[in-house]
Amino acid sequence: MDIWRIRGGRRLEGECAAQGSKNASLPILAACLLCPGTVELSRVPCLRDVDAALAILRHLGCRAEQAGDRIYIDASGITSCEIPHELMVQMRSSVIFMGALLARCGQARLSLPGGCQLGKRPIDLHLAALRKLGAVIEEDGGEIRCAPSVLRGAEILLPFPSVGATENAMLAACAARGETLIRGAAREPEIQALQGALRAMGADVRGAGTDTLRISGFRGRGCVRLRIPPDRIAAATLACACAGTGGKICIRDCDPGQFSTVLYFLNQAGCDIITKHDRVTLSSEGALRAAGQIATAPYPGFPTDAQPVLMAALLRAEGESVFTENIFENRYRQVPELRRLGADILLKGREARVRGVRRLHGAAVNATDLRGGASMILAGLCAEGETLVRDSGHVARGYEDLDGCLRSLGAELTIQREGENHGLYIQKPQALG
Ligand code: EPU
């Protein structure tokens, strides 16, 4: 258990680089199964989810070595196409190994994935897409068995642009005979990153960034070097942190266009924002105004992953900001915790009305999930006094050295492992659950 001890009220000032993208790294790590030679990945963020992907690759018999932010994967000698339950439940992206294993081995055996509890998160669209390609899949309780199958190109129509289903279909389609069309595909930047990786490995994939992908074959190339693109949600999180606390920061090595919807609302709320190439400079007086109506949507719409962190930035903004969550049924888990800090948020179904309060006060709260945890940390930075965020490891699943980055910008915070400091005092322990 990590306990973030945050003393709020400090303005953020300085410069910080955006980390490599979690949600691009994970499918690219799965795609390494297709490559006959070694894949060298650079700028891979140091995250628990990346460790989980490496554990899966090693279990399958791949060589996976890490040196700083570089990872070398050699999948030439894989020995298994089965992923045990305890590895599957460590993250959501373990499900992407299904498409990769089908492409590599023509079969797979795994169980339902884990990940943040943001709603039902079924995998029906993944299974339907893979079945369309000819995969013979049986579900038995939580177990998924893909029997030895010959994959053939097909036209897949996704009724919703699921990121994971698009990735699974892309991976499996690489090994299919003939051409595959994926219509209604997700357009997220992570799909473009996966397309780039697959092309470098020898796949003929086109269309990423549009709603139609065309995949026609794979001619494996030898060794491949790839650089992971910047993490748009981690960059958006830093921007929201400074917007809420006040101050001026420059986020380096990011792609501002990929989180322009978040920057748009921060600008509406009164932040000055300058974007130049791979940098965003944001200044905030701290006294923001409400940002209007914010509705999450598939890319290029406002990202659901940025909803909790933008909400934290707007807790003290004058007026009412209205969020509508359209992607996940259960993505307001941060709200009851934010209320402990004094936030005024009215929840009704998919809608959350945030009425700005003059001040937030420190309290003991729980990190409910990855982005919910980040939301709590940001709210703690904006609150008066001390906030303790109890986190069972969610934040480290997706943020690389977030505490170090925030400290370098002037935030006053430390992380303690529970048990290391016996004098640690947590308010309302009975309510922490
Ligand atoms: N859905 C279905 N059936 C499916 C697949 C999805 O009904 O077979 C529904 C989901 O329940 C959800 C919606 O479709 O309501 C969107 O799910 P999607 O498949 O697009 O999401 P995902 O692939 O599970 C990825 C990111 C999430 C991000 C979403 C939406 C990764 C590893 N995860 O999840 O990131 O929120 O896309 O953009 O890429 C995070 O990083 O914190 C995170 C949760």
Side-chain angles (χ1 to χ4, degrees):
M1 178 71 71
D2 290 341
I3 297 173
W4 291 64
R5 186 186 280 268
I6 302 162
R7 186 151 288 280
R10 302 281 296 260
R11 289 164 70 84
L12 299 185
E13 307 277 348
E15 205 174 292
C16 203
Q19 68 181 60
S21 165
K22 167 178 85 82
N23 290 346
S25 299
L26 300 172
I28 290 176
L29 282 166
C32 289
L33 285 177
L34 278 67
C35 191
T38 301
V39 181
E40 177 186 325
L41 301 175
S42 58
R43 203 199 198 186
V44 184
C46 181
L47 303 172
R48 272 186 47 200
D49 276 10
V50 167
D51 293 343
L54 293 178
I56 290 176
L57 287 167
R58 289 187 182 115
H59 171 86
L60 296 172
C62 301
R63 272 192 31 233
E65 281 160 23
Q66 255 173 306
D69 76 346
R70 278 169 206 268
I71 291 187
Y72 302 85
I73 308 288
D74 175 1
S76 58
I78 73 166
T79 50
S80 170
C81 53
E82 294 189 18
I83 306 176
H85 177 75
E86 61 273 18
L87 293 180
M88 285 300 294
V89 293
Q90 286 183 20
M91 62 169 177
R92 175 74 181 172
S93 278
S94 52
V95 74
I96 307 304
F97 281 87
M98 182 160 47
L101 279 171
L102 273 168
R104 175 65 194 269
C105 314
Q107 57 182 311
R109 193 169 177 148
L110 24 81
S111 60
L112 291 174
C116 291
Q117 303 294 312
L118 308 175
K120 291 192 283 288
R121 302 190 86 177
I123 57 163
D124 54 327
L125 303 179
H126 301 238
L127 299 179
L130 296 174
R131 284 182 172 127
K132 200 79 206 268
L133 291 169
V136 179
I137 306 177
E138 261 180 55
E139 288 177 90
D140 185 5
E143 204 184 328
I144 302 162
R145 284 189 294 266
C146 308
S149 321
V150 177
L151 302 178
R152 49 181 189 277
E155 186 163 340
I156 296 168
L157 176 62
L158 292 174
F160 180 86
S162 155
V163 176
T166 303
E167 292 166 347
N168 249 331
M170 285 169 85
L171 287 163
C174 285
R177 276 190 214 141
E179 184 174 86
T180 297
L181 275 182
I182 307 175
R183 297 194 189 279
R187 291 187 284 162
E188 267 69 0
E190 293 74 31
I191 302 296
Q192 299 189 41
L194 179 59
Q195 170 176 285
L198 288 170
R199 286 175 71 96
M201 290 176 194
D204 183 356
V205 189
R206 279 164 285 162
T210 75
D211 64 1
T212 305
L213 300 177
R214 191 181 293 270
I215 299 136
S216 32
F218 184 83
R219 270 208 235 139
R221 299 215 182 104
C223 297
V224 171
R225 278 188 179 171
L226 297 162
R227 186 163 165 79
I228 299 296
D231 193 309
R232 61 195 170 102
I233 305 299
T237 301
L238 294 175
C240 290
C242 179
T245 60
K248 181 175 181 183
I249 64 166
C250 172
I251 307 165
R252 278 188 281 115
D253 303 338
C254 64
D255 184 340
Q258 291 188 353
F259 58 110
S260 59
T261 46
V262 183
L263 296 176
Y264 169 82
F265 284 110
L266 292 175
N267 182 240
Q268 290 290 103
C271 298
D272 283 330
I273 296 170
I274 300 168
T275 61
K276 204 171 177 190
H277 309 300
D278 61 350
R279 283 173 179 241
V280 173
T281 306
L282 180 144
S283 28
S284 160
E285 289 306 316
L288 300 179
R289 52 179 182 267
Q293 305 270 344
I294 304 137
T296 65
Y299 195 84
F302 183 88
T304 173
D305 294 343
Q307 174 261 105
V309 289
L310 180 62
M311 183 181 283
L314 294 173
L315 295 176
R316 294 186 302 157
E318 194 181 341
E320 189 175 73
S321 309
V322 182
F323 288 84
T324 307
E325 174 57 52
N326 292 312
I327 307 296
F328 291 110
E329 314 88 27
N330 196 17
R331 200 148 208 184
Y332 286 133
R333 295 176 75 207
Q334 76 276 12
V335 167
E337 301 299 306
L338 292 174
R339 286 188 186 129
R340 290 178 198 249
L341 300 172
D344 180 356
I345 307 169
L346 192 70
L347 261 190
K348 203 171 168 197
R350 290 185 172 272
E351 199 177 89
R353 291 180 172 269
V354 179
R355 285 181 288 227
V357 292
R358 290 180 72 85
R359 50 184 292 271
L360 298 167
H361 50 79
V365 290
N366 279 320
T368 47
D369 53 70
L370 166 55
R371 309 300 171 189
S375 172
M376 232 58 71
I377 291 162
L378 266 49
L381 294 173
C382 300
E384 292 170 18
E386 188 172 81
T387 294
L388 297 176
V389 182
R390 264 170 70 105
D391 174 23
S392 61
H394 294 295
V395 174
R397 286 191 32 230
Y399 289 98
E400 180 180 52
D401 192 27
L402 180 59
D403 56 317
C405 179
L406 291 170
R407 257 195 308 273
S408 76
L409 297 173
E412 201 178 330
L413 56 84
T414 53
I415 302 185
Q416 290 170 328
R417 304 245 176 265
E418 201 172 36
E420 275 178 6
N421 180 348
H422 298 293
L424 189 64
Y425 170 63
I426 303 172
Q427 297 165 40
K428 298 184 192 160
Q430 75 284 1
L432 287 172

